[in-house]
Each structure stands twice: as C-alpha cells, then as structure tokens.
C-alpha cells in the first residue's frame, strides 16, 4: 500500500479527493481552514511557453483539520522539493490534488512552500498568451473562473475560502504588469523587472488576477468616490495599436460616474483601494470583474467606427455590470457556484438600473426587453431548463451553470421583485445583505432573510417558485363579451410551459378601447385561473396588452382578438416600450405556431419602414429575419425578403439616421439580391463611391462584407484575390482574427472540414475566434454543406465541455443544431440524445438547443404551404 493511498483510507469521506472540487471536500475544508494567505512570486520569460511560481500558502487549521490529511488543489508541474511547516514533504498526488499527511500539520498556523510550473497557450490554460501578429508582441492574462486557479498555483480553489494575496511578477523589462492591488515596487533584476503588488482584501481564488505585456496606459483622475483615496487615478491599459480607437474620457466618465452611483445604490463604499481597467485582445468574455482590475475584451469598449446605438448600450451595460460585481460577487461572494445568480443576475439587473439613472437616453428598460429577456424566455420554455439556483455536486461542472437562466432570467425576476417590494425597500434589503456579509460569503437564503427583514414580509413562496423551480408560466387573458359588446367575464389563466405548478404573479394589463383610450388594470394570481374584476363591465374593448411595462416575467400570449388588433396597430403605437411589448407578444405567438410568420413579418416590415430608434429597428430586423430565413420555406419567404432588401437599401440612401451599420450588417448576411452583393463588394474592397455616404464602416464590417462575398463565390481564384485585397488594405495591422472569421463562410466541403478540425485543436486559434466564427461556418444557405458535421459536433459535446471555457459549449450546440430547419436534423439530434453518453448538464444544454429546431419544424409544418 502506498503512503498516499494510506492517507486516503484514513481520511474522512469528505476529504476523498476525487477530480475537481466536490461539495463534500469543500465543506470539510471550509469548516476547518481559516486565515488563508497566498504569497505568489511568478516569473514569465519570452517567448512565453510557461509560467513559474514560488508559492507559499499560509492558513489556520482547527484541531479536527490538523488531525486529518489535508487536500490542496493543484494541477500543474512541481519543481524541486516542497515543504510543510519547515519540513520536507514527499508530495502525494491524487487526481488534481496534493495530499498533505496529518503528521506534518498542526493546530493553528501552517504553511506550505512549493515551486511549480504551468503551461501557457493561446487557449485552454489559466494564463493565456495573445500573440499580436502585427508586431509579434505577447500579452498575458489570467482567467481562472470558475475553478481554474489550481491549474496555475496550489490553492484551496473554492469560493468560500477567501484569502489575501501577496503577488509579485518577474517579467521582461519592457513589459508592464497589472494586479488586484496597487503597485508597491518595481525592481530591476538582470534583464527583468519585478513588479510587486500590495496585499489584497480577502478574495476567492477566481477573482485574483494579473496581466502583463508591453501595454500602453493612460492615467486619469477619478472623481471623489467613497472608499478610494481622494486624488486617485484610474489607469487604462491597452495595446498601443489600439490608442487611436480609445475613447478614454468616456470610459473614465462611465467608470467614475458608475462607481459614485453604485456607492449610493448599495449604501456601501467602494470595497477596494483602486480600479484599473485592462483592454485585452482575444479575451473570451466581454469582461471579468477581478477585484480592483477589471479585464475587458478590447473590442467591447473601443470602436474603430462610429458605434451604433446598440453597441453603446451594450458597452454601458457591460461597464456597469462589471462595476456592480465589485459589491455583488467581490465584496460578498456566493458560498458555492450553485448561487452563481447571486452575482451575475444582480450585476445585470443593477447595470440596467445604473444605465437608466446615468444614461436615460439609452432607454435601459427597453433594451432590457429587447436584449436580456428574450433569451431567458427561449431557454426557460425548453425541457432543458433549470432553476435559477442550480445545485452543483462538483466545481468541475460549474461551467455549465453559466447561461441565460443566470444572466437573463435572474435579473428579470429580480426586477419583478424590486417592483413587488418597492425600490426603496428592495435597496434597503440589499444594503443589509452587503453589510452583514462584508468581505465574506453568503447564500440566497441570506439575501432572502435580508430582504424579508426590510420588507417585513415572507418571501418563501416567491423564492420557491422563481428561484428554486424551473420553467415559467404561460399566461393568457380570457375575456368574453355579451351581444352588446360589454365584457361579461375576464380571467387570467396561467399554466406551466414545461413543468408543474403555478407562480405568484402580479400582472398589469393595458385595456385599449375602440376609441383609442387606454387604462391599466392590475391582477394578482397564484393559481391557474383568476378573475379580473377590473375588466368586467368594460365596453368597446378592442385589445388587452399584458405586461405593458414589461415588469413581470412570464410567457404572455395574446388572445385572438387582441392579437389581430396588435398585428394591425402595433407599429403605430407612440410609446416605444409599449410598441416593443406588443411585437414581443406577437413574436411569442409565432414561436408557439399560433401566428403565421408571414403575417408577423408583414407587420414587422411595416414597423421597420417607420422606426427611428436604431436599436428597435435592429431588433425588429432580427425577428423579421427569423421568420423569412428560418420559419418560412423559401417559396413563402422570397418575396418578403426581397421587399425588405429594397426597403433597407432605400433607407441606406436617406439622411443619416444611426440605422446604417445595423442595416448593412443584416443585409450582408441575409440579403441575396444583386444590389446587396454590389454593396458588399464596395464595402469589402473600399470602393468609396459605391458606398452610401452615411454608411461608415469599421474593420469588422469590411471583413463581414468579405465573408458575404466568400460565401457566395464558387471560384477559388476569386476568393483568394478578395482575401488578399482586403488584407492589403490593413497592411501592418493585426487582422488574423477577422480573416479567420471571414474564411469560415467559404461554402466548400474542404473548407468546412478544415475549420471543423481546427475547432477541435486547442491551440489552433484563440478560443474567442473559434466561437465567433461559428456563425460564419453556418452561413445562411449553407445548411446542406454543414449538416454532415451536425452528428460529429454532437459527439464532441463532452470534449467541448471539458476543454473549452464557460460559454463555448452552449454556443457550439446552438450553432450546429439551429443552423438547420428540417425534420432530418431534428432526428439527428434526437438520436444523439438517445445514444450518446452525455453528462446531465450537457444533455440539458442540448435539449435547450433542440427546442429551437423543434419549434422551427413545427412552425414550418403548420405554415409551410402557400397561403
């Protein structure tokens, strides 16, 4: 029997170190370990292939913890000897853990010292390197959420063992470094420089971070912010090549104003000493909220063109989202990743509150309706949906907790709760929660207790249905009139879309009379059938619009009379939010195969001709596109699509409206007419005289136009010439990403095979390139070329889960499943569900993706013939 095995047999079951971090292991450690500190000295040399670390772990063990073997998480290479409390330690490795024998431990303070190494690559490693092809510079950054820190250094890699971090980086002298703490020293050692950072406040491992490389920076004075010393600056770090695109004054204003507003909203000062922002190339997420040093994808904050309204709104919500995390997630951290919504749902909800307060012209709650809630509805109505609170047995599965239920549904139900309790009461409860658990950990029960204290009411029923139960209610208004037109009965009906039970609802109804007069009626219900007394006796009712301010969360389907009225009148509604609510309601009827997609498309097209808000215009185009590119067969869709092309091309030639870029982007992907292809050629090749004067494009748009041309060309020589010409226009710039994305659209069998194989090579390209290119791989009209890859793509779902980051696997499944619209593809998916050995979370994600395909098949089956 080996020594390591003996330790395992003596250890309690909770300490059995299976792969990943299991709940039993985590709970046992959290109960016995405290006062954790990490001293980490990293060294990085160029060309970057690995990172070395001298690590010291200091921690306090209670008597029980000192009497049993200790499991430390680490999945890297050990260099040289290790020590425990000054004694040499023959390291016992089990799975991705190190097991420390109890004979080397003691009650009270302990320390471990190790030298370790971790590999560095462009994808799949906790320290990522991005190689700029324009100047051969290398940029490195950590990204260890949800539980990859132990692949970089030995640690207790669970959110409820918070620790302080003392970090130093030895890096090339020409580089700069950014960490969670302030920079306290820069010492030259041979050809390197050692950057030392101040000790952090208590943090979970997933929030400790650093970045380094030949960054440029700008320092700007912050406004007065509680918690930050007066006169402090915000440092913005970026690639020098991106300086021309950086709107630093706006970024400073957004972050400064956002911090000030959030300090007031939360009733708590900013929790950390400083704030840096780092704009990173190839970053796989829009942003990551590392305490005191927020990492952003550079393209999410800086633009090489005049940004659209949608891009500006997404930038604002992203900034306020990451700032909100400094309180929700960083100051108070969820105890376990089953409460992921506690940080992500809150950050999204509060971000829209902040945007409404600080940038009212962005129409925050209209954007919430258009860009946040639809994805929640899509997923929550599927057999693969999950509760907001998702139980996790092991942090190895935490990646699958990320998705629309956490990011989209959670903020939607929080908005309903804010309205239900009243905003002042809700904020009081949030403040109590943060104050009680400052720099610690908490669960949804802790939040519920704080809100109940503030509201002096019981929220158990609300929590049971909205947090702990999957799915959502389908809600209809059933109203009937007498012969004289008077409403003689009115009921609110709710049923589970997929699941059981009913939900506590508080719904507003907008009653529209034949004269055009409108009035609101309120109804509360926690049953399948509730009388609406405010409607009975009403005369000349033409339409009832459910949820007109979009506060409640449910699938609202219109009754037939109201549906017909909205089809005829939604585009002329003066209030933009009400207009959007009606179109959203109609689109749900399309998705349920209750409304002909062609009828919806006609109404949406009418609205598109009149809509002046660029975001709403783009949102309507998305829904119109779903109808004519997916739900309707070509024979029924062609005339509508051609008419839309004529309308949109005409709009591009009109006075500047702000709609130009979204319109061009839609046309380049969905238009097939000769005029659209000429426009794409002009944009791709930079033929200015053939581009409408108000259509000013950026680099991405030129390569999108190139993708459109490549997708439609059958000539290898022509395709090569197009690629070479566009690349020459950006000589000296880093355009490898854009070229990769564009070439994914080439519709040959050999090209699709080349890209599919590349997706399964971990270091073939940055992960974000692969994820972004999936849409072009599945270019409209190429389903016959990509369908042969559907079955192998599903077979690789487990590999994708294991080897890619948190958002890649659902994007992979959605792309390959919903690129198709026929029963044959649905059969391939169903066969995979029956025959492949999927983990439960992978199966749920696939069921979510399958729902979109199944709906499409059902809609086409009902409305596929000529009408």
């Amino acid at each position: 029997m080996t020594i390591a095995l003996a330790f395992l047999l003596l250890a309690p079951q909770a300490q059995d170190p299976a792969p990943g971090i299991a709940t039993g292991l985590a709970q046992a450690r959290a109960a016995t370990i405290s006062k954790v500190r990490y001293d980490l000295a990293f060294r990085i040399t160029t060309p970057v292939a690995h990172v070395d670390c001298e690590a010291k772990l200091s921690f306090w063990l209670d008597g029980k913890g000192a009497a049993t073997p200790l499991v430390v998480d680490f999945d890297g290479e050990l260099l040289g000897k290790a020590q425990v409390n000054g004694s040499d330690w023959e390291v016992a490795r089990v799975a991705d853990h190190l097991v420390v024998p109890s004979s080397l431990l003691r009650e009270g303070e302990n320390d471990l010292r190790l030298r370790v190494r971790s590999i560095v690559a462009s994808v799949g490693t906790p320290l990522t390197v991005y190689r700029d092809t324009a100047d051969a510079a290398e940029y490195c950054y950590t990204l260890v959420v949800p539980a990859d820190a132990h692949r970089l250094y030995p640690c207790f890699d669970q959110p409820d063992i918070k620790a302080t971090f003392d970090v130093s980086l030895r890096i090339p002298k020409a580089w700069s470094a950014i960490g969670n703490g302030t920079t306290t020293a820069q010492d030259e050692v041979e050809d390197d420089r050692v950057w030392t950072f101040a000790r952090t406040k208590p943090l979970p491992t997933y929030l400790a971070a650093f970045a380094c490389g030949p960054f440029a920076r700008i320092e700007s004075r912050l406004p007065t912010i509680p918690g930050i010393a007066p006169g402090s600056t915000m440092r913005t770090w970026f690639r020098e090549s991106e300086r021309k695109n950086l709107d630093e004054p706006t970024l400073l204003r957004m972050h400064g104003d956002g911090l000030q507003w959030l300090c007031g909203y939360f009733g708590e000062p900013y929790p950390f000493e400083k704030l840096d922002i780092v704009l990173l190339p190839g970053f796989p997420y829009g942003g990551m909220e590392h305490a005191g040093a927020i990492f952003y994808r550079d393209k999410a904050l800086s633009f090489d063109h005049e940004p659209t309204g949608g891009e500006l709104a997404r930038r604002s919500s992203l900034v306020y989202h990451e700032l909100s995390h400094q309180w929700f997630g960083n100051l108070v951290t969820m105890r376990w990743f089953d409460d992921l919504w506690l940080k992500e749902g809150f950050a999204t909800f509060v971000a829209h509150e902040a945007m409404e307060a600080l940038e009212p012209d962005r129409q925050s709650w209209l954007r919430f309706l258009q860009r946040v809630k639809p994805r929640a509805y899509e997923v929550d109505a599927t057999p693969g949906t999950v509760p907001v609170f998702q139980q996790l047995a092991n942090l190895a599965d935490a990646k699958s907790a990320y998705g629309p239920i956490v990011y989209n549904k959670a903020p939607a139900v929080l908005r309903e709760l804010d309205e239900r309790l009243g905003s002042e009461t809700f904020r009081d409860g949030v403040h109590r929660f943060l104050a009680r658990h400052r720099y610690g950990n908490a669960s949804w029960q802790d939040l519920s207790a704080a809100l109940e204290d503030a509201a002096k009411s019981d929220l158990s029923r609300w929590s049971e249905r909205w947090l702990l139960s999957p799915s959502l209610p389908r809600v209809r208004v059933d109203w009937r009139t007498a012969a004289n037109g008077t409403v003689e009965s009115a009921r609110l009906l709710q049923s589970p879309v997929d699941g059981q039970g009913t939900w506590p609802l508080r719904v507003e109804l907008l009653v529209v009379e034949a004269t055009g007069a409108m009035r609101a009626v309120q109804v509360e219900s926690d049953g399948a059938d509730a009388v609406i007394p405010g409607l009975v006796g009403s005369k000349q009712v033409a339409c009832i619009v459910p949820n007109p301010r979009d506060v409640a969360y449910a699938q609202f389907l219109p009754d037939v009379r109201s549906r017909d009225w909205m089809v005829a009148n939604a585009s002329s509604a003066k209030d933009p939010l009400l207009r959007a609510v009606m179109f959203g309601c109609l689109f749900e009827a399309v998705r349920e195969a209750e409304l002909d997609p062609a009828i919806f498309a006609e109404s949406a097209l009418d609205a598109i001709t009149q809509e002046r808000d660029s975001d709403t215009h783009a949102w309507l185009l998305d829904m119109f596109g779903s109808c004519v590119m997916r739900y309707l067969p070509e024979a029924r869709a062609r005339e509508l699509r051609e008419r839309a092309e004529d309308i949109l091309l005409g709009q591009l030639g009109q006075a500047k409206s702000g709609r130009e870029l979204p319109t061009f982007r839609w046309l380049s992907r969905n238009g097939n007419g000769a005029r659209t292809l000429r426009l794409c050629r002009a944009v791709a090749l930079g033929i200015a005289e053939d581009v409408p004067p108000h259509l000013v494009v950026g680099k991405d748009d030129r390569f999108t136009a190139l993708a459109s041309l490549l997708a439609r060309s059958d000539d290898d020589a022509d395709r090569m010439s197009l690629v070479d010409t566009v690349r020459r226009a950006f000589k000296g710039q880093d355009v490898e990403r854009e070229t990769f994305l564009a070439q994914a659209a080439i519709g040959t069998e050999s090209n699709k095979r080349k890209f599919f194989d590349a997706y399964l090579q971990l270091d073939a390209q940055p992960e974000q390139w692969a994820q972004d290119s999936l849409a072009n791989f599945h270019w409209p009209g190429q389903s016959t070329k990509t369908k042969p890859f559907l079955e192998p793509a599903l077979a690789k779902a487990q590999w994708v889960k294991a080897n890619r980051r948190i958002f890649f696997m659902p994007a992979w499944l959605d792309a390959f499943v919903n690129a198709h619209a026929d029963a044959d593809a649905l059969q391939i998916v169903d066969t995979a569900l029956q025959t492949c050995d999927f983990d439960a979370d992978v199966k749920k994600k696939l069921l979510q993706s399958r729902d979109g395909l199944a709906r499409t098949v059902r809609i086409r089956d009902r409305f596929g013939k000529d009408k």
Side-chain angles (χ1 to χ4, degrees):
M1 182 182 295
T2 65
I3 295 174
L5 181 57
F7 290 149
L8 290 179
L9 292 177
L10 292 171
Q13 183 63 35
Q15 293 279 25
D16 183 8
I21 296 92
T23 54
L25 170 63
Q27 290 166 1
R29 290 196 304 203
T32 60
I33 299 171
S34 60
K35 301 178 184 178
V36 181
R37 190 180 86 213
Y38 297 102
D39 292 274
L40 306 172
F42 294 99
R43 184 176 184 184
I44 301 171
T45 57
T46 57
V48 179
H50 62 262
V51 54
D52 290 348
C53 177
E54 292 189 9
K56 177 184 176 183
L57 288 66
S58 303
F59 51 92
W60 190 275
L61 281 177
D62 69 9
K64 182 179 179 181
T68 58
L70 176 70
V71 176
V72 179
D73 309 320
F74 182 61
D75 190 20
E77 180 183 355
L78 291 168
L79 303 176
K81 292 184 177 180
Q83 289 190 325
V84 180
N85 294 326
S87 298
D88 288 347
W89 167 32
E90 292 296 327
V91 178
R93 303 196 68 155
V94 181
D96 47 356
H97 306 284
L98 313 177
V99 181
V100 183
S102 58
S103 60
L104 295 179
L105 301 171
R106 61 194 176 208
E107 185 175 0
E109 188 171 355
N110 292 260
D111 69 71
L112 277 60
R113 297 171 188 262
L114 308 95
R115 290 181 57 241
V116 299
R117 173 172 290 174
S118 176
I119 62 170
V120 178
S122 61
V123 65
T125 55
L127 182 65
T128 296
V129 60
Y130 181 90
R131 297 181 172 92
D132 191 322
T133 58
D135 59 9
E138 295 180 306
Y139 298 85
C140 297
Y141 54 85
T142 58
L143 187 60
V144 298
V145 66
D148 276 349
H150 70 284
R151 298 174 60 207
L152 185 60
Y153 57 90
C155 60
F156 306 114
D157 206 0
Q158 59 190 79
D160 59 344
I161 298 184
K162 288 182 129 175
T164 59
F165 288 79
D166 291 85
V167 175
S168 68
L169 298 178
R170 181 174 173 177
I171 56 178
K173 195 176 294 184
W175 285 17
S176 298
I178 308 97
N180 300 103
T182 57
T183 305
T184 58
Q186 297 181 41
D187 301 314
E188 293 189 11
V189 179
E190 299 174 347
D191 293 330
D192 297 332
R193 180 173 283 115
V194 177
W195 293 64
T196 304
F197 301 99
R199 181 173 298 172
T200 69
K201 296 286 181 63
L203 297 175
T205 48
Y206 79 85
L207 287 176
F210 65 82
C212 54
F215 287 101
R217 82 178 186 203
I218 295 174
E219 293 195 38
S220 306
R221 188 178 293 268
L222 282 165
T224 300
I225 295 168
I228 299 181
S232 295
T233 60
M234 183 181 82
R235 299 182 300 177
T236 303
W237 304 82
F238 54 93
R239 287 185 293 170
E240 181 61 47
S241 60
E242 291 296 311
R243 185 184 291 270
K244 62 184 180 300
N245 300 326
L246 186 68
D247 185 2
E248 199 277 336
T250 297
L251 296 184
L252 174 67
R253 174 185 56 77
M254 293 173 67
H255 286 83
D257 290 353
L259 287 176
Q260 284 186 321
W261 187 87
L262 289 164
C263 285
Y265 182 88
F266 289 126
E268 288 282 327
Y270 176 67
F272 306 101
E273 289 80 8
K274 58 93 175 175
L275 177 67
D276 288 340
I277 65 172
V278 191
L279 277 60
L280 293 166
F283 195 63
Y285 315 144
M288 179 61 203
E289 69 270 16
H290 304 119
I294 300 174
F295 292 0
Y296 291 105
R297 186 188 307 159
D298 51 9
K299 291 179 178 294
L301 293 197
S302 61
F303 309 103
D304 66 351
H305 57 278
E306 182 178 346
T308 67
E311 288 170 334
L312 291 175
R314 283 190 290 274
R315 180 176 72 177
S316 295
S317 63
L318 172 63
V319 167
Y320 302 140
H321 178 104
E322 304 305 336
L323 290 177
S324 298
H325 272 313
Q326 304 303 309
W327 286 265
F328 256 91
N330 299 9
L331 174 62
V332 179
T333 305
M334 73 247 158
R335 201 163 278 136
W336 192 244
F337 271 86
D338 47 17
D339 260 327
L340 179 64
W341 77 278
L342 263 184
K343 73 183 188 80
E344 298 300 346
F346 255 95
T348 298
F349 169 68
V350 175
H352 282 79
E353 290 274 32
M355 187 160 64
E356 180 70 13
L358 297 172
E359 302 178 57
D361 289 347
R362 296 265 175 260
Q363 301 184 82
S364 173
W365 297 116
L366 177 58
R367 307 309 163 213
F368 193 80
L369 176 153
Q370 294 168 340
R371 300 300 177 193
V372 176
K373 292 179 78 171
R375 186 61 180 145
Y377 290 147
E378 288 175 5
V379 169
D380 216 14
T382 75
T385 192
V386 293
V388 169
F389 174 84
Q390 302 176 43
Q391 286 192 320
L392 289 174
N394 193 306
L395 289 189
D397 296 326
K399 288 191 290 188
S400 293
Y402 288 77
I405 297 303
V406 161
Y407 281 87
N408 302 68
K409 177 179 180 177
V413 299
L414 284 172
R415 187 184 182 209
E416 190 274 346
L417 183 61
D418 178 87
E419 177 91 1
R420 181 182 289 266
L421 299 183
S423 291
E424 297 255 341
T425 300
F426 183 85
R427 286 175 58 179
D428 180 27
V430 168
H431 171 65
R432 291 172 189 240
F433 172 78
L434 294 172
R436 290 173 184 175
H437 304 284
R438 191 181 288 121
Y439 297 111
N441 296 84
S443 67
W444 72 265
Q445 292 97 330
D446 297 314
L447 175 66
S448 180
L451 291 169
E452 287 181 342
D453 288 349
K456 296 179 176 56
S457 62
D458 183 358
L459 294 177
S460 57
R461 173 62 178 164
W462 187 93
S463 298
E464 175 199 348
R465 296 308 293 162
W466 293 116
L467 300 183
L468 307 181
S469 302
S471 196
L472 75 166
R474 175 178 291 129
V475 177
R476 301 176 187 269
V477 179
D478 178 49
W479 55 288
R480 308 192 180 188
T481 55
N484 63 0
T486 300
V487 177
E488 61 180 4
S489 69
R491 298 177 300 152
L492 188 78
L493 309 178
Q494 67 157 302
S495 58
V497 171
D498 189 272
Q500 297 179 346
T502 60
W503 285 258
L505 292 174
R506 181 178 294 177
V507 179
E508 181 181 355
L509 306 173
L510 185 69
V511 181
V512 183
E513 297 179 358
T515 61
M518 300 181 183
R519 63 185 177 89
V521 173
Q522 301 282 343
V523 59
E524 290 200 40
S525 170
D526 195 356
D529 189 336
V531 174
I532 311 173
L535 265 178
V536 175
S538 300
K539 298 179 180 179
Q540 295 186 320
V541 174
C543 172
I544 299 172
V545 182
N547 201 27
R549 294 184 298 122
D550 194 46
V551 171
Y553 178 82
Q555 184 191 44
F556 291 100
L557 289 169
D559 63 90
V560 174
R561 278 183 288 183
S562 297
R563 186 184 72 200
D564 293 345
W565 188 93
M566 284 189 265
V567 165
N569 295 281
S571 61
S572 60
K574 293 181 180 180
D575 177 56
L577 182 60
L578 176 59
R579 195 161 62 243
V581 165
M582 287 194 281
F583 272 107
C585 197
L586 290 174
F587 193 64
E588 284 301 309
V590 172
R591 294 182 67 245
E592 290 298 322
E594 295 181 4
L595 175 63
D596 187 341
I599 294 175
F600 177 90
E602 289 278 5
S603 184
L605 196 55
D606 179 50
I608 287 165
T609 62
Q610 305 174 56
E611 186 59 59
R612 295 295 176 261
D613 178 74
S614 62
D615 276 16
T616 302
H617 186 271
W619 176 68
L620 288 165
L621 272 176
D622 284 345
M623 293 187 292
F624 174 84
S626 294
C627 292
V628 300
M629 304 300 294
R630 186 161 173 76
Y631 294 151
L632 291 171
E634 177 63 13
R636 296 198 68 209
R638 186 183 303 111
E639 188 274 334
L640 282 163
R641 190 179 60 247
E642 290 174 352
R643 188 147 44 99
E645 280 193 71
D646 287 342
I647 290 170
L648 295 174
L649 288 166
Q651 289 180 339
L652 286 178
Q654 296 171 2
K656 185 175 181 178
S657 65
R659 301 172 303 193
E660 289 82 9
L661 265 181
T663 296
F664 167 72
R665 290 166 181 170
W666 192 90
L667 282 169
S668 66
R669 187 167 181 84
N670 299 297
N672 291 321
R675 291 169 62 199
T676 296
L677 291 180
R678 283 197 298 272
L679 175 60
C680 287
R681 182 171 291 272
V683 168
L685 303 181
I687 307 171
E689 59 269 24
D690 291 339
V691 177
H694 300 299
L695 176 59
V696 182
V697 299
K699 180 170 63 175
D700 280 0
D701 296 301
R702 290 188 64 177
F703 278 89
T704 296
L706 172 63
S708 184
L709 300 176
L710 296 177
R712 293 169 172 84
S713 174
D714 295 324
D715 187 309
D716 286 341
D718 176 57
R719 289 195 294 261
M720 183 67 69
S721 174
L722 287 168
V723 172
D724 288 345
T725 301
V726 177
R727 285 177 64 92
R728 281 197 302 271
F730 295 94
K731 186 177 181 180
Q733 298 185 41
D734 181 11
V735 293
E736 294 305 306
R737 168 191 172 273
E738 292 80 4
T739 304
F740 180 82
L741 265 61
Q743 291 179 320
I746 295 172
T748 64
E749 181 181 348
S750 61
N751 188 67
K752 298 304 183 188
R753 169 57 60 187
K754 180 181 76 172
F755 270 79
F756 186 82
D757 291 344
Y759 293 149
L760 303 177
Q761 302 299 315
L762 283 179
D763 206 17
Q765 65 280 315
E767 184 171 290
Q768 194 59 38
W769 296 14
Q771 184 171 330
D772 289 348
S773 73
L774 290 172
N776 287 359
F777 181 91
H778 296 286
W779 194 270
Q782 293 183 351
S783 62
T784 57
K785 302 290 179 61
T786 60
K787 188 181 288 185
F789 297 96
L790 175 56
E791 185 176 351
L794 299 179
K796 284 293 183 180
Q798 287 290 146
W799 181 92
V800 170
K801 173 194 170 181
N803 291 280
R804 296 293 190 178
R805 294 196 185 271
I806 53 182
F807 296 111
F808 194 97
M809 190 257 287
W812 174 267
L813 294 175
D814 265 344
F816 279 94
V817 171
N818 283 301
H820 307 290
D822 57 70
D824 289 343
L826 185 61
Q827 183 58 55
I828 292 171
V829 175
D830 287 343
T831 299
L833 283 165
Q834 294 168 7
T835 60
C836 292
D837 186 19
F838 292 133
D839 290 347
D841 57 335
V842 175
K843 186 173 184 178
K844 283 184 177 294
K845 296 291 186 185
L846 182 52
L847 285 170
Q848 292 171 13
S849 297
R850 178 195 181 277
D851 187 76
L853 175 56
R855 286 176 186 273
T856 299
V857 171
R858 186 164 65 251
I859 292 167
R860 283 192 167 215
D861 185 58
R862 181 170 183 189
F863 298 109
K865 299 178 181 179
D866 291 337
K867 298 291 179 180

